[in-house]
Amino acid sequence: MNAMRVCGLMSGTSLDGLDIAIVDFSFANNQIQHDLLYFKTVSYEESLKSELHSLMNPMTPLRTVSSMNMYLGEFFADELQATIKESTIDFESIDLISSHGQTIWHEPSTEKDSVYTRPNTMQIGDISVIAQRTGKTTIGDFRTRDMAAGGQGAPLVPFADQLLFQSEEKGRILLNIGGIANITVLAPAQSEEEVIAYDTGPGNMIIDACVAKYTNGQKTYDESGMIASTGKVNREWLNDLMKHDYFHADIPKTTGRELFGTAYVEKLWRDGEKYNCSHADIIATATMLTATSIAKEIQKYGNTHEIKEVIASGGGVHNLTLMSYITEQLPARISLLTSEDIGVNADAKEAFVFALLGYLGVQKQPNSLPVATGASMQTIMGKIAWGNLEVSR
């Protein structure tokens, strides 16, 4: 495979901003070599965040969705170019842009009530617009190829987790806490145990929404978990919350705002008040819900996969209360680390991963993990919009 400099773009379910990672990839000694050159998160203004949130309502007019697909492509391209200029990296040295896009709908399983109904997913931020505005070849829309092969189109990060982070000596769980939380379970490399990966449930999504309600929109997340730390977890209510069908569904499974979005948070907030919880108590209980749903899944694999480390990444690692809630529910033999401890920027990981998926995809190399998504076969994910060409006339 050729060496390439790739810009990975990631905008997640938390809708907090666009992550941009610039990574050098090469292939030597039968291994992928990588060097993260630059990383930045471009925060979304409240108006854009609100507009993106509104797109997740199934009643949103189709023309609005279609228009935002084009607008977001322009926004991604412009912010990427500004970031490269800020980094002092030569724009001409960029070989490829790899964009996850912004998921506005993800329905990996459906009740087939119509001959036209299929599992489906939609990420916007059109790659043709990005390619046209930057002049660079752009790859994106990864999830649909996996779905076409019978998979859930998610989670995709476990492919990179196994490729880059599996240990010879000890079992690891790679935990990502974004809007949704997901795990990749990696037994030691010589083990016969297969990789297991899926969404555990909500990550920051419910906590963020509760904080926004508590502060009347003045804050959009619980910085360092300070608000939760002043509240008290209502254990009776937490037990009821953990009865949600998703927490007991078989794997593979993925989820998003369709289950844990606005409607869920509105009901949770009302129920918290019925339990006579203060608003800080509601946020503490929502934080413990995320922690418990994560810890419950980690505990399943401690023995079978010889798990010694849980390595966390994503925005949730900055919520110290959440991290302490997870730690207190893990066996003493399992250490909770962050990806910084193994040399990977905790905030940059997902953008880095999509840079990797794009690097492989554009060179026609498989970049999916069927045991994680449930697909019938490994595929080469990603659609390509070629960069500007010199055309002779």
Side-chain angles (χ1 to χ4, degrees):
M1 291 187 290
N2 297 328
M4 299 186 79
R5 179 163 291 174
V6 185
C7 294
L9 308 181
M10 176 68 196
S11 183
T13 51
S14 55
L15 301 178
D16 49 2
L18 174 67
D19 291 340
I20 302 173
I22 305 174
V23 190
D24 277 350
F25 291 107
S26 58
F27 192 76
N29 301 321
N30 209 32
Q31 286 189 321
I32 291 177
Q33 313 295 320
H34 54 86
D35 183 16
L36 176 63
L37 303 179
Y38 195 78
F39 172 74
K40 180 182 180 180
T41 297
V42 178
S43 297
Y44 291 153
E45 294 182 357
E46 285 304 314
S47 58
L48 176 55
K49 191 181 297 187
S50 176
E51 191 70 19
L52 291 173
H53 193 273
S54 72
L55 297 182
M56 297 168 192
N57 182 340
M59 303 307 292
T60 300
L62 183 58
R63 68 175 294 185
T64 302
V65 175
S66 184
S67 179
M68 278 298 292
N69 177 48
M70 302 297 281
Y71 169 80
L72 212 58
E74 295 178 3
F75 179 85
F76 285 0
D78 293 348
E79 292 299 332
L80 170 59
Q81 290 179 95
T83 297
I84 294 172
K85 185 176 181 179
E86 174 186 293
S87 74
T88 71
I89 292 171
D90 181 7
F91 184 77
E92 294 305 314
S93 71
I94 303 299
D95 299 303
L96 178 70
I97 299 168
S98 179
S99 177
H100 169 268
Q102 175 64 60
T103 299
I104 62 168
W105 189 257
H106 186 70
E107 192 175 18
S109 59
T110 60
E111 294 184 8
K112 203 166 184 179
D113 53 1
S114 163
V115 67
Y116 304 114
T117 301
R118 295 290 186 277
N120 59 92
T121 187
M122 179 172 284
Q123 287 74 44
I124 62 171
D126 196 87
I127 61 170
S128 292
V129 175
I130 298 172
Q132 184 63 33
R133 288 180 83 94
T134 63
K136 301 293 184 180
T137 295
T138 304
I139 185 169
D141 201 9
F142 294 93
R143 299 187 187 277
T144 51
R145 182 62 184 273
D146 184 79
M147 277 192 164
Q152 297 209 355
L156 302 187
V157 171
F159 171 86
D161 287 340
Q162 182 185 30
L163 185 68
L164 301 177
F165 306 122
Q166 190 167 34
S167 167
E168 294 287 338
E169 304 86 24
K170 54 194 171 187
R172 285 174 161 173
I173 289 179
L174 279 294
L175 165 64
N176 182 68
I177 312 173
I180 294 296
N182 49 70
I183 57 173
T184 303
V185 186
L186 302 171
Q190 302 308 315
S191 171
E192 294 182 0
E193 294 288 346
E194 284 193 327
V195 177
I196 298 172
Y198 55 95
D199 292 345
T200 60
N204 305 314
M205 182 183 295
I206 295 172
I207 303 168
D208 291 350
C210 287
V211 170
K213 288 183 71 67
Y214 174 58
T215 64
N216 292 316
Q218 295 301 304
K219 294 184 177 180
T220 56
Y221 66 98
D222 187 7
E223 185 173 359
S224 299
M226 290 300 295
I227 299 173
S229 71
T230 66
K232 182 178 180 180
V233 175
N234 185 306
R235 296 288 173 175
E236 179 186 359
W237 182 30
L238 175 66
N239 290 337
D240 283 342
L241 291 170
M242 284 299 299
K243 293 176 183 176
H244 191 288
D245 288 346
Y246 185 81
F247 301 133
H248 305 280
D250 294 333
I251 59 173
K253 59 181 181 178
T254 58
T255 190
R257 289 187 179 274
E258 296 72 32
L259 284 186
F260 296 108
T262 302
Y264 181 90
V265 171
E266 290 296 333
K267 183 178 185 305
L268 179 140
W269 194 262
R270 292 194 301 270
D271 288 350
E273 292 176 336
K274 289 178 184 176
Y275 275 92
N276 296 316
C277 291
S278 70
H279 291 166
D281 293 344
I282 294 174
I283 293 168
T285 305
T287 303
M288 184 60 84
L289 173 63
T290 288
T292 301
S293 58
I294 289 170
K296 171 176 169 283
E297 299 306 316
I298 291 171
Q299 291 164 8
K300 290 180 180 179
Y301 307 106
N303 293 326
T304 58
H305 289 66
E306 303 176 50
I307 301 302
K308 296 292 190 296
E309 294 176 343
V310 175
I311 301 169
S313 60
V317 302
H318 304 298
N319 185 323
L320 303 184
T321 302
L322 173 61
M323 294 291 279
S324 69
Y325 283 174
I326 296 171
T327 299
E328 69 187 36
Q329 298 181 70
L330 297 181
R333 68 180 184 277
I334 299 179
S335 301
L336 178 60
L337 311 173
T338 74
S339 61
E340 305 280 355
D341 296 312
I342 59 170
V344 178
N345 183 310
D347 294 316
K349 185 186 171 190
E350 286 196 299
F352 166 86
V353 167
F354 279 94
L356 172 64
L357 297 183
Y359 169 66
L360 293 170
V362 81
Q363 298 191 80
K364 303 179 183 178
Q365 299 297 315
N367 57 2
S368 70
L369 188 63
V371 295
T373 65
S376 61
M377 60 184 293
Q378 192 173 42
T379 60
I380 302 172
M381 301 183 299
K383 300 172 185 175
I384 299 173
W386 298 106
N388 294 344
L389 304 174
E390 292 293 331
V391 180
S392 58
R393 297 183 183 275

